[in-house]
């Protein structure tokens, strides 16, 4: 159990470092004004942020996910592993249910974290040097939102986050389990790292594709009110107004940058988690083997069985 949490923590940190610039681009594209768009697409958004705000602009708001996602991944992999063990048999259905349970539970942390991240990412859009800062950092952002709007304010977008995370994490772990079995990922396999990277990356892509329209709505709700103007009364109102103004394409806005981010982030996360678990269990087995005078068994029979 402790290893599941620790492995998730290490994997989460690796994923944040790799993927945050792509996430910044995704958020900017999702919430920009359709009547006066700042960016023509993913590449233009990347170029504009670097030109106008320097490369550090891509890492705005990284403090929140670095603190939050590290713990969230520890929680996700810990809950998923324990739920799977509680369900008993390791089947595709149980993988989906265990992943969904993990996704649902981590919403309590994920929602406020993503609210702070979104507000920080939108702060000073188009400015090389910020003329004025509403928020000093992610924690300051949450404190100011709480003082102004209370608990309801820092949990803005909670329902849409729950609707996104619960099924997406189910598909996340289900896809990874199926791919690692299909690819034959075994501890002694000399190609295990490339196979784990492929399985992890594809799992991330499937996970995002399964609920991406909900993520667009979540981002819009959490960005609503920036600048002092509130546009949406809730999820359905946001869906209706977004569709009326921009059509169906609004629900795929920012998808390119999201998928570009999804593969390397989840490849790094899952590969780091699995290799960490294999190494730690191998060390543990070796110590037990030395103590008992027997050879240690295999480090891990099936990487997907956390």
């Amino acid at each position: 159990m402790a290893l599941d949490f620790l492995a998730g923590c290490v994997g989460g940190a690796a994923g944040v470092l790799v993927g945050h610039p792509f996430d910044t681009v995704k958020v900017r594209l999702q919430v920009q004004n359709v009547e006066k768009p700042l960016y023509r697409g993913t590449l233009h958004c990347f170029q504009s942020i670097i030109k106008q705000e320097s490369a550090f602009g891509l890492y705005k708001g990284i403090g929140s996910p670095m603190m939050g996602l590290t713990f969230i991944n520890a929680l996700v992999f810990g809950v998923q592993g324990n739920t799977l063990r509680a369900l008993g048999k390791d089947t595709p259905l149980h993988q989906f249910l265990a992943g969904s349970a993990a996704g649902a539970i981590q919403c309590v942390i994920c929602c406020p974290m993503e609210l702070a991240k979104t507000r920080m990412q939108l702060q000073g859009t188009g400015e090389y040097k910020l003329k004025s800062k509403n928020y000093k950092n992610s924690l300051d952002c949450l404190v100011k939102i709480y003082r102004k709007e209370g608990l309801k304010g820092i949990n803005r977008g909670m329902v849409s986050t729950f609707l996104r995370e619960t099924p997406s994490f189910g598909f996340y772990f289900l896809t990874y389990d199926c791919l690692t079995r299909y690819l034959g990922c075994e501890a002694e396999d000399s190609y295990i790292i490339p196979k784990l990277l492929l399985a992890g990356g594809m799992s991330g892509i499937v996970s995002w594709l399964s609920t991406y329209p909900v993520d667009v709505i979540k981002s819009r709700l959490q960005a609503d009110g920036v600048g002092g103007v509130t546009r949406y009364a809730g999820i359905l109102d946001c869906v209706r107004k977004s569709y009326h103004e921009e059509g169906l394409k609004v629900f795929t806005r920012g998808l390119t940058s999201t998928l570009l981010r999804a593969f390397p982030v989840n490849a790094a996360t899952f590969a780091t988690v699995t290799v960490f678990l294999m190494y730690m269990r191998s060390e543990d087995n070796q110590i037990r083997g030395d103590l008992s005078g027997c050879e240690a068994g295999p480090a891990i029979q099936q990487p997907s069985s956390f």
Side-chain angles (χ1 to χ4, degrees):
M1 177 177 173
L3 281 180
D4 287 335
F5 281 96
L6 186 56
C9 204
V10 175
V16 171
L17 289 173
V18 172
H20 193 75
F22 295 97
D23 188 72
T24 299
V25 170
K26 181 205 75 169
V27 170
R28 294 281 182 93
L29 290 172
Q30 284 181 336
V31 304
Q32 71 173 339
N33 191 325
V34 66
E35 295 176 358
K36 297 179 181 179
L38 292 174
Y39 314 113
R40 294 191 298 270
T42 301
L43 182 59
H44 182 247
C45 187
F46 263 110
Q47 293 172 335
S48 297
I49 292 173
I50 293 173
K51 183 179 179 180
Q52 297 169 359
E53 305 170 44
S54 81
F56 291 107
L58 293 169
Y59 284 92
K60 281 183 177 178
I62 194 173
S64 176
M66 184 57 77
M67 291 184 294
L69 275 178
T70 300
F71 181 72
I72 283 174
N73 273 279
L75 184 63
V76 164
F77 282 95
V79 170
Q80 191 271 348
N82 283 282
T83 303
L84 190 60
R85 283 188 283 272
L87 289 172
K89 193 175 181 181
D90 183 3
T91 65
L93 177 60
H94 287 172
Q95 285 283 349
F96 182 84
L97 293 175
S100 296
I105 289 174
Q106 57 92 43
C107 287
V108 178
I109 304 168
C110 178
C111 181
M113 179 208 76
E114 292 204 350
L115 174 65
K117 174 183 68 66
T118 298
R119 296 293 177 89
M120 291 292 293
Q121 287 173 327
L122 296 175
Q123 183 171 246
T125 300
E127 296 179 9
Y128 191 82
K129 289 186 178 181
L130 292 181
K131 296 176 182 177
S132 62
K133 285 186 177 181
N134 291 325
Y135 313 115
K136 297 176 183 178
N137 50 51
S138 300
L139 182 59
D140 180 58
C141 177
L142 288 175
V143 169
K144 287 182 176 177
I145 293 173
Y146 175 75
R147 286 176 179 171
K148 185 178 180 180
E149 305 175 47
L151 282 174
K152 183 179 179 180
I154 62 173
N155 286 298
R156 182 189 291 266
M158 178 64 77
V159 175
S160 55
T161 301
F162 178 82
L163 293 175
R164 182 194 69 178
E165 299 291 80
T166 303
S168 70
F169 270 96
F171 286 113
Y172 189 50
F173 284 98
L174 172 62
T175 303
Y176 186 73
D177 178 65
C178 292
L179 284 175
T180 51
R181 292 178 189 279
Y182 176 77
L183 293 171
C185 296
E186 300 293 341
E188 65 278 4
D189 189 347
S190 58
Y191 294 102
I192 188 170
I193 298 299
K195 288 180 178 180
L196 291 177
L197 289 172
L198 176 61
M202 293 306 299
S203 299
I205 288 176
V206 171
S207 173
W208 274 107
L209 286 174
S210 67
T211 57
Y212 189 77
V214 183
D215 182 67
V216 175
I217 299 304
K218 180 203 71 72
S219 293
R220 293 196 161 206
L221 289 172
Q222 292 187 326
D224 196 29
V226 174
V229 179
T230 301
R231 298 187 60 207
Y232 309 118
I235 295 175
L236 294 179
D237 185 52
C238 182
V239 172
R240 186 174 62 254
K241 287 181 178 177
S242 297
Y243 174 72
H244 178 72
E245 294 171 3
E246 303 174 53
L248 284 174
K249 67 180 181 180
V250 68
F251 300 113
T252 59
R253 178 175 286 186
L255 180 60
T256 302
S257 61
T258 299
L259 296 183
L260 287 173
R261 167 183 175 268
F263 191 93
V265 166
N266 292 287
T269 299
F270 256 127
T272 301
V273 167
T274 306
V275 171
F276 181 85
L277 286 173
M278 289 170 61
Y279 175 77
M280 294 302 293
R281 287 170 180 168
S282 176
E283 289 291 307
D284 184 53
N285 286 344
Q286 184 62 52
I287 292 172
R288 291 181 182 180
D290 290 341
L291 291 175
S292 63
C294 302
E295 289 187 3
I300 184 170
Q301 292 183 345
Q302 175 52 256
S304 59
S305 302
F306 294 109

